[in-house]
């Protein structure tokens, strides 16, 4: 598997700002059932996010960390969209 195939497109944004928009190896967040991770190839998934530290891991770069209060996450076909209400 190529490096590109082991990544997924992640976009984290709010109404007035894009916080992150790039390829990533994983994403960690939390919902009402607790913390979870999203990896490439994850099944389609949609959830409301709880207050947590949203972490996006990008190979050979520092992790992107953003404390959030709430948001909506949609995962489909190696694309993660996180819309924040901040």
């Amino acid at each position: 598997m190529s490096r590109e195939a082991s990544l997924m497109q992640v976009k984290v944004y709010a109404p007035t700002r894009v916080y992150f928009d790039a390829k990533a190896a994983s994403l960690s967040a939390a919902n009402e059932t607790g913390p979870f991770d999203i990896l490439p190839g994850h099944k389609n998934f949609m959830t409301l996010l709880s207050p947590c530290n949203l972490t996006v891991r990008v190979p050979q770069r520092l992790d992107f960390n953003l404390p959030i209060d709430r948001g909506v996450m949609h995962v489909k076909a190696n694309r993660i969209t996180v819309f924040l209400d901040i």
Side-chain angles (χ1 to χ4, degrees):
M1 182 185 304
S2 73
R3 171 182 275 179
E4 189 69 19
S6 65
L7 300 176
M8 48 198 181
Q9 185 66 37
V10 177
K11 183 173 183 179
V12 179
Y13 67 104
T16 59
R17 182 173 173 194
V18 174
Y19 291 92
F20 185 91
D21 190 5
K23 300 258 185 209
S26 69
L27 181 143
S28 299
N31 60 17
E32 67 178 16
T33 61
F36 63 89
D37 297 311
I38 304 291
L39 300 170
H42 196 285
K43 297 285 186 185
N44 293 350
F45 177 70
M46 185 172 236
T47 189
L48 296 175
L49 298 175
S50 300
C52 67
N53 189 39
L54 183 76
T55 301
V56 181
R57 289 173 193 81
V58 180
Q60 302 173 346
R61 284 185 29 200
L62 292 176
D63 292 349
F64 169 81
N65 291 292
L66 180 67
I68 65 167
D69 289 325
R70 61 186 179 183
V72 177
M73 177 186 291
H74 181 251
V75 179
K76 184 175 181 182
N78 274 345
R79 295 185 68 83
I80 301 173
T81 304
V82 179
F83 182 75
L84 301 175
D85 182 17
I86 19 183

